[in-house]
């Protein structure tokens, strides 16, 4: 069995390799370690191996981990799962990034509830790039309005887009959705300050995502192993 440190090392090497293939500098792609459902001790192991960015999907679980590790003040916590309105306050109080914004209401509440002594909350809009019925994320046609709204919120800093492309796509489907995503990203990246993050790519599609411009890959299974309970 490999240790978390060894798997993290392989994940970083995989990113560097994909970056090379794409003729991009390896440091232009960040690694978010997705620690959902995994214990604090796993996060500590990754931390000791140098990892600083962690992603959580479930509000309660993420907040508990952030509190347990509050003494490690260089950890950057990213919320990447859906947020119910009654949970926005604890998210605004404990996270550094929220990547899963897909409606004005959530954005407004996070803005209003961000404590005054904390820096602006970094946010990404989650876009439902393949227009899937079941999936969270704003429709591409509704993106512009949401972006305008977020730009007006002074406690939010709009950093980019997050997407979870369709599972098990054909090569053509994957190319189409990744290139559509890249085109939308470039449009805003070229016109807005701070809009520097294209969060796409997981354990299974990291290579393809990096080839088409991802700046942040979100890796869970390949670092921490399979999850005990089968939540997305
Ligand atoms: C679980 C999850 C990941 C990580 O997925 P793996 O397949 O375990 O690498 C990435 N992004 C989101 C939004 C997730 O929910």
């Amino acid at each position: 069995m490999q240790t978390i440190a060894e798997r993290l090392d392989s994940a970083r090497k995989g990113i560097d390799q994909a970056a090379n293939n794409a003729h991009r500098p390896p440091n232009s792609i960040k690694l978010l370690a997705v620690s959902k459902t995994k214990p604090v001790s796993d996060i500590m192991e990754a931390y000791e191996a140098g990892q600083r960015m962690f992603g959580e999907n479930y509000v309660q679980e993420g907040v508990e981990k952030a509190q347990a590790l509050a003494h490690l003040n260089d950890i950057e916590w990213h919320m990447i799962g859906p947020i119910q309105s009654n949970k926005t306050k604890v998210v605004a109080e404990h996270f550094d990034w929220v990547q899963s914004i897909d409606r004005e209401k959530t954005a407004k509440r996070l803005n209003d509830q961000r404590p005054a002594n904390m820096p602006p909350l970094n946010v990404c809009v989650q876009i439902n790039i393949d227009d899937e019925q079941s999936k969270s994320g704003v429709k591409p046609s509704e993106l512009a309005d949401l972006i305008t709204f977020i730009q007006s919120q002074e406690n939010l800093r709009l950093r980019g887009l997050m997407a979870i492309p369709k599972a098990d796509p054909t090569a053509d489907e994957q190319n189409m959705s990744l290139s559509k995503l890249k085109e939308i990203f470039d449009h805003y990246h070229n016109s807005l300050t701070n809009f520097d993050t294209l969060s796409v790519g997981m354990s299974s599609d990291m290579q393809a995502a990096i080839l088409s411009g991802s700046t942040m890959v979100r890796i869970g299974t390949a670092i921490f192993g399979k999850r005990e309970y089968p939540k997305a």
Side-chain angles (χ1 to χ4, degrees):
M1 259 255 318
Q2 283 189 303
T3 64
I4 287 173
E6 287 165 345
R7 288 172 164 180
L8 202 45
D9 191 52
S10 311
R12 289 205 185 106
K13 290 207 173 96
I15 292 171
D16 292 356
Q17 186 61 56
N20 269 326
N21 294 343
H23 307 289
R24 298 179 55 199
N27 65 4
S28 64
I29 300 134
K30 293 179 176 160
L31 170 58
L32 181 70
V34 178
S35 43
K36 63 184 178 200
T37 84
K38 298 293 177 180
V40 166
S41 56
D42 282 8
I43 298 178
M44 276 307 300
E45 259 184 80
Y47 181 87
E48 277 159 14
Q51 180 64 27
R52 293 294 181 270
M53 297 165 55
F54 293 91
E56 290 286 336
N57 280 60
Y58 311 107
V59 171
Q60 189 57 31
E61 179 189 331
V63 167
E64 280 167 21
K65 289 173 178 173
Q67 284 172 331
L69 296 173
H71 55 289
L72 305 176
N73 55 23
D74 56 351
I75 288 191
E76 195 176 271
W77 293 103
H78 290 238
M79 173 50 61
I80 59 175
I83 307 171
Q84 292 170 296
S85 289
N86 61 349
K87 303 268 176 68
T88 49
K89 184 159 184 285
V90 282
V91 171
E93 289 169 351
H94 290 94
F95 281 81
D96 303 293
W97 285 64
V98 174
Q99 298 196 12
S100 44
I101 299 216
D102 64 359
R103 66 199 66 196
E104 262 187 43
K105 185 177 176 194
T106 315
K108 172 101 178 76
R109 290 177 65 92
L110 289 169
N111 177 76
D112 295 351
Q113 293 167 336
R114 182 68 166 172
N117 65 345
M118 291 178 84
L121 181 64
N122 296 291
V123 300
C124 293
V125 173
Q126 181 175 350
I127 180 167
N128 186 351
I129 193 69
D130 297 316
D131 241 322
E132 292 174 277
Q133 286 289 336
S134 59
K135 216 163 249 176
S136 319
V138 71
K139 289 188 181 142
S141 61
E142 293 164 356
L143 178 65
D145 284 347
L146 183 53
I147 283 183
T148 304
F149 179 78
I150 293 173
Q151 289 282 94
S152 74
Q153 302 296 295
E154 62 178 10
N155 299 323
L156 303 181
R157 184 180 289 142
L158 180 61
R159 297 298 299 270
L161 299 177
M162 187 271 260
I164 310 173
K166 190 170 170 227
D168 302 317
T170 64
D172 279 354
E173 286 172 338
Q174 186 174 61
N175 283 337
M176 281 231 313
S177 67
L178 287 173
S179 58
K180 183 167 146 201
L181 183 62
K182 171 74 168 139
E183 193 180 313
I184 299 171
F185 171 74
D186 282 344
H187 171 77
Y188 290 104
H189 175 61
N190 292 333
S191 54
L192 301 177
T193 352
N194 299 321
F195 201 99
D196 56 4
T197 302
L198 178 56
S199 170
V200 64
M202 319 208 288
S203 295
S204 58
D205 63 350
M206 186 182 93
Q207 302 281 336
I210 290 173
L211 267 176
S212 70
S214 168
T215 71
M216 191 187 294
V217 291
R218 308 180 307 266
I219 308 293
T221 310
I223 296 171
F224 297 108
K226 280 205 160 53
R227 287 177 286 274
E228 292 287 316
Y229 48 105
K231 285 180 159 177

